[in-house]
Amino acid sequence: MSDISGQVLSVSAKKGTKREYETILILRPSSNKTNILDLIHKMQAMFDKFGARIIKIENWGNRTLAYSIKRSPTGIYLYWRYIGGSDIVHEFERNLRIMDSVLRYYTVKVDEDVDATARPSEITEDLLQTISEPPPEPEPEPEPVRDEPHSVFSNDDEEGLEEGVP
Amino acid sequence: MSDDKPRSAPRRSSSLLANDKTLVIDYKNPQLLKAFLTDRGKVVPARISGVSARQQRQITKAVKRARMLALIPYTVQ
């Protein structure tokens, strides 16, 4: 019998397997290194409490948004991948909603019935230092050329097309 | 008579992307998704892009996710 109070056990948790999720956060561009480190450390404690494990966190840097969110034209993208039950997503998103620095978040289930022990965590303290420091290149947006149609729907005269292309 | 009007030529074009059966549609790859959007940011119909029904379902789902994350726009003015 489950005797952990306050913890909701999902079906997969009863089976002894977990689910793999990925969450993308968009932070305010004004967030600095200590803000991001604080957020990660706070979340790590929360993940430990729920028996979930962060597999990796990636920083995609400060990117130009396709439309402004909460009057911010740019945002820092953080990509999280983790293993846990459905309860962790609920708690994670509840925490994100409270934080002012989070402009937006989105969670996708990647896989279910994952053996939690099979996937090691790549998170180390050194790595966190580099993650919290956004990469310098802000991903230059390629300007679409209007007068020259380079769409994939007009490349009929593509050269080097041979049979057996995988 | 309008009934006898010949139908317009099929606009379907076989593109490299559409023929690639191993193409992985990922909402985190806006560069790839932009190939399936018009200049105004609408999803190109499968009958024009020539992708399979399965791929078109994956594309629309990925486009909607990417829009939510501001990776691609909802509309372009």
Side-chain angles (χ1 to χ4, degrees):
Chain A
M1 281 282 109
S2 151
D3 55 350
I4 310 160
S5 58
Q7 192 172 344
V8 183
L9 286 181
S10 58
V11 175
S12 54
K14 283 174 187 157
K15 280 195 284 184
T17 57
K18 294 194 171 179
R19 289 184 185 152
E20 189 171 350
Y21 295 99
E22 60 186 14
T23 298
I24 296 178
L25 321 180
I26 307 178
L27 303 176
R28 279 194 194 282
S30 55
S31 313
N32 57 27
K33 191 176 170 173
T34 42
N35 290 149
I36 299 176
L37 263 185
D38 272 0
L39 187 149
I40 293 175
H41 282 311
K42 197 179 159 199
M43 291 304 175
Q44 261 185 331
M46 194 263 295
F47 273 75
D48 287 345
K49 211 175 90 187
F50 278 78
R53 205 173 60 236
I54 304 172
I55 295 172
K56 69 172 170 188
I57 304 174
E58 278 172 22
N59 191 332
W60 294 353
N62 194 4
R63 290 191 183 187
T64 310
L65 305 177
Y67 50 89
S68 47
I69 302 174
K70 293 183 186 168
R71 292 170 189 269
S72 174
T74 63
I76 299 170
Y77 281 77
L78 280 188
Y79 171 79
W80 297 52
R81 210 175 164 115
Y82 49 94
I83 285 179
S86 56
D87 48 347
I88 187 67
V89 179
H90 189 256
E91 181 67 10
F92 189 32
E93 294 195 339
R94 190 185 68 82
N95 278 279
L96 294 176
R97 256 193 308 272
I98 295 169
M99 290 178 184
D100 285 337
S101 59
V102 179
L103 293 174
R104 190 157 290 187
Y105 54 84
Y106 190 67
T107 305
V108 172
K109 184 177 75 184
V110 183
D111 202 1
E112 46 191 321
D113 286 347
V114 188
D115 184 10
T117 51
R119 302 292 305 273
S121 173
E122 298 168 13
I123 301 293
T124 58
E125 198 52 43
D126 280 354
L127 202 66
L128 284 186
Q129 297 294 328
T130 49
I131 288 166
S132 51
E133 218 155 345
E137 14 58 283
E139 180 111 357
E141 199 64 18
E143 267 303 309
V145 187
R146 289 281 164 150
D147 49 355
E148 190 227 324
H150 66 114
S151 158
V152 290
F153 309 116
S154 57
N155 57 358
D156 291 336
D157 51 351
E158 196 77 42
E159 282 181 4
L161 246 180
E162 283 160 298
E163 290 101 19
V165 176
Chain B
M1 281 185 282
S2 62
D3 286 354
D4 296 337
K5 224 179 212 172
R7 302 188 93 188
S8 57
R11 280 178 293 171
R12 182 189 292 253
S13 76
S14 62
S15 71
L16 264 182
L17 274 179
N19 288 335
D20 190 357
K21 289 269 169 9
T22 60
L23 186 67
V24 179
I25 309 287
D26 186 11
Y27 72 100
K28 300 187 289 291
N29 187 352
Q31 249 70 37
L32 173 70
L33 292 178
K34 272 177 186 167
F36 299 104
L37 297 179
T38 65
D39 289 348
R40 307 279 290 186
K42 291 180 171 185
V43 180
V44 175
R47 78 184 134 81
I48 292 175
S49 62
V51 298
S52 67
R54 175 197 286 240
Q55 283 175 322
Q56 182 72 1
R57 286 196 299 272
Q58 292 170 345
I59 289 166
T60 51
K61 193 164 197 170
V63 163
K64 285 166 189 178
R65 285 176 172 174
R67 278 177 183 160
M68 197 118 74
L69 285 164
L71 295 171
I72 55 177
Y74 280 99
T75 55
V76 181
Q77 253 73 47

